[in-house]
Amino acid sequence: MYTRLKSLFAIKGYSVLVICMLCIGIGISITSPYIPLFLTEDFGMSAGSFGIFMAISSLSGVVVNSLIAKHSDSGMDRKWIIILAALSATLGYASYLIFHNFFILLIVVTLFNGLAAPVMPQIYAYAHESANASKSDDKTFAMSTLRSLISFGFLIGPLCGTLILALAGYTGIFLGTSILYLSVASLVFLFLNKTEAPKSDAKKKISLGASWIKNREIRLPLIAFLFLFAINTIHLIITPLFIVNELHGTYKDVGLVVSICAGLEIPIMLGLGALGKKISNHTLMIYSCIILVIYYTILSVATHPWQLIPAQLLQATFVAIVMGNGLSYFTERLPSSPGLATTIYSNGSTLGRLVGSLSGGFIAQVVGFRQVFWMCLILVILSLIIFWKTRPQGDKDITTEYTRSV
């Protein structure tokens, strides 16, 4: 494992991308627990207004990502896309401290969040192209390792956020995150080389960007991923409430369940990335759905909080597969268009989280916590059917099929 990790840094620019992804992971995890508190308690938004605010600002990222994806594989310099996106994130987080009117803040944050959305997909795409240029045969491991840094950031970021909040309040929280994104922009500007897709491929890639949604081999798995991300978001929202209100557990039980799952995700993610040469990513997605069927069956019949603790091995494995190998799943299916592939994955995760966050609490309030898990179980089974129906018949470049169809 050490040798394989060491070999990743032979990929040009990979060490810079590692630092950038860690900064982004820490930055997101510092602010994400406190944005709802800041906007509802300090800013004065209602819960409904906050939901609208987050939905609109999230959808703006999907729109910009989609627009950028059509052209990022046809000659645009990813280095400058990453820089501009990171600078937009810098301004976006600083905006929370500058604007005190709901509509102005909504417009500004929506604008900057949208422009900032390509930062992670384009970093992944840059890493994929660098791995190809370096003739690395371990691209799945390289991508899952980068993705694991986001999870690692979520292990240390909340603690950093708590300390910053105690010392400098929300000003420190948002300025600290802005500085992290500014550091990303600076590192990319100083240390990454310009990258440019071959001009001969430009026409083919633009056609591919316009036609991917027509092909069931991409469209249907994207729907399955959207379901899985929605399920994971519902799990994050509902499980703590389920433990306390339904199983009569304590906040200590909640913390134990969450921390065990988070602690297991990173080593499992790295281990699964290392298996990329032996097990296809599509097969791993099928396994993840089977694992999740078992997990949600346990949740649906659980009667005591301790029963959820060993089950976190299943949840952590699912998260590690979908978060770590899901990205490689799409880059394998669109090997000639890494920017489009990473954007499809990113948009699927954003839309899935949005659907999950808007629907989870409402459904629980109407039908109860346990019934939410049964609904999730149905969605998992639908995802499993989709992955089974779209399993590839041998190794083939789907890009070739698109080109022929176009």
Side-chain angles (χ1 to χ4, degrees):
M1 177 65 78
Y2 172 76
T3 304
R4 292 184 70 181
L5 280 171
K6 186 177 179 180
S7 68
L8 295 182
F9 290 91
I11 298 173
K12 198 168 185 179
Y14 193 80
S15 57
V16 177
L17 299 178
V18 164
I19 298 172
C20 290
M21 291 303 286
L22 184 59
C23 287
I24 291 172
I26 294 173
I28 295 172
S29 63
I30 284 176
T31 53
S32 58
Y34 299 111
I35 286 180
L37 295 174
F38 172 77
L39 291 179
T40 55
E41 295 180 0
D42 284 47
F43 197 87
M45 288 186 191
S46 65
S49 298
F50 172 72
I52 294 172
F53 182 92
M54 296 305 295
I56 293 175
S57 60
S58 297
L59 289 174
S60 69
V62 173
V63 173
V64 174
N65 259 341
S66 301
L67 294 174
I68 292 294
K70 290 183 179 181
H71 304 284
S72 66
D73 295 318
S74 58
M76 292 182 70
D77 184 4
R78 295 195 198 282
K79 173 179 177 177
W80 281 103
I81 297 175
I82 297 169
I83 290 171
L84 293 175
L87 290 175
S88 296
T90 300
L91 295 173
Y93 281 105
S95 299
Y96 286 101
L97 301 174
I98 298 173
F99 300 101
H100 304 288
N101 176 274
F102 174 81
F103 292 104
I104 294 177
L105 184 66
L106 176 62
I107 293 170
V108 173
V109 170
T110 297
L111 173 65
F112 286 128
N113 274 10
L115 295 175
V119 66
M120 278 202 290
Q122 292 301 319
I123 286 177
Y124 288 132
Y126 189 103
H128 186 274
E129 288 186 337
S130 293
N132 285 337
S134 302
K135 302 189 185 305
S136 172
D137 61 349
D138 224 355
K139 289 189 283 291
T140 296
F141 189 41
M143 303 294 273
S144 62
T145 300
L146 280 180
R147 180 58 185 82
S148 70
L149 292 167
I150 299 294
S151 298
F152 183 72
F154 270 80
L155 285 179
I156 60 178
L159 176 60
C160 295
T162 301
L163 295 175
I164 294 172
L165 187 65
L167 294 173
Y170 287 116
T171 300
I173 290 285
F174 291 115
L175 283 183
T177 303
S178 293
I179 290 171
L180 286 170
Y181 275 98
L182 184 60
S183 300
V184 170
S186 301
L187 287 169
V188 172
F189 176 75
L190 293 173
F191 299 110
L192 286 191
N193 295 325
K194 179 180 179 180
T195 179
E196 188 171 335
K199 295 294 184 181
S200 59
D201 290 342
K203 185 175 179 180
K204 181 181 76 172
K205 289 176 179 177
I206 291 175
S207 297
L208 176 62
S211 64
W212 70 266
I213 200 169
K214 300 177 183 178
N215 192 295
R216 68 187 298 273
E217 299 298 323
I218 299 296
R219 184 181 69 252
L220 293 181
L222 175 60
I223 294 172
F225 270 91
L226 194 151
F227 286 161
L228 295 178
F229 278 111
I231 291 166
N232 191 54
T233 301
I234 291 171
H235 177 270
L236 293 173
I237 295 171
I238 299 301
T239 302
L241 299 173
F242 175 69
I243 292 172
V244 173
N245 296 302
E246 188 85 10
L247 302 182
H248 308 294
T250 65
Y251 289 105
K252 183 179 179 181
D253 293 324
V254 173
L256 191 60
V257 167
V258 172
S259 61
I260 288 175
C261 183
L264 290 171
E265 284 174 20
I266 296 175
I268 294 175
M269 197 176 292
L270 291 173
L272 290 170
L275 289 174
K277 295 180 180 179
K278 299 179 180 179
I279 305 176
S280 73
N281 287 307
H282 194 93
T283 300
L284 284 173
M285 295 308 141
I286 293 175
Y287 288 164
S288 74
C289 292
I290 295 172
I291 289 168
L292 211 57
V293 167
I294 299 171
Y295 178 69
Y296 274 97
T297 301
I298 293 172
L299 279 182
S300 300
V301 300
T303 55
H304 298 88
W306 66 265
Q307 294 167 343
L308 273 61
I309 293 175
Q312 292 314 299
L313 178 61
L314 299 172
Q315 171 66 6
T317 303
F318 158 73
V319 173
I321 292 174
V322 173
M323 304 297 182
N325 293 75
L327 187 63
S328 297
Y329 178 90
F330 286 106
T331 55
E332 279 184 358
R333 295 205 153 201
L334 297 169
S336 300
S337 300
L340 176 62
T342 55
T343 296
I344 290 172
Y345 173 82
S346 177
N347 284 350
S349 67
T350 300
L351 291 173
R353 287 195 299 268
L354 182 60
V355 170
S357 61
L358 292 176
S359 63
F362 173 77
I363 295 172
Q365 186 175 357
V366 173
V367 299
F369 298 112
R370 208 175 289 273
Q371 284 68 31
V372 173
F373 295 141
W374 285 112
M375 183 203 70
C376 290
L377 189 57
I378 293 172
L379 292 179
V380 174
I381 293 172
L382 289 175
S383 300
L384 176 59
I385 293 171
I386 289 172
F387 284 126
W388 184 260
K389 290 289 187 180
T390 57
R391 63 192 188 280
Q393 303 299 319
D395 295 327
K396 54 186 178 181
D397 185 346
I398 293 179
T399 304
T400 304
E401 294 186 0
Y402 278 113
T403 306
R404 289 174 181 171
S405 66
V406 174

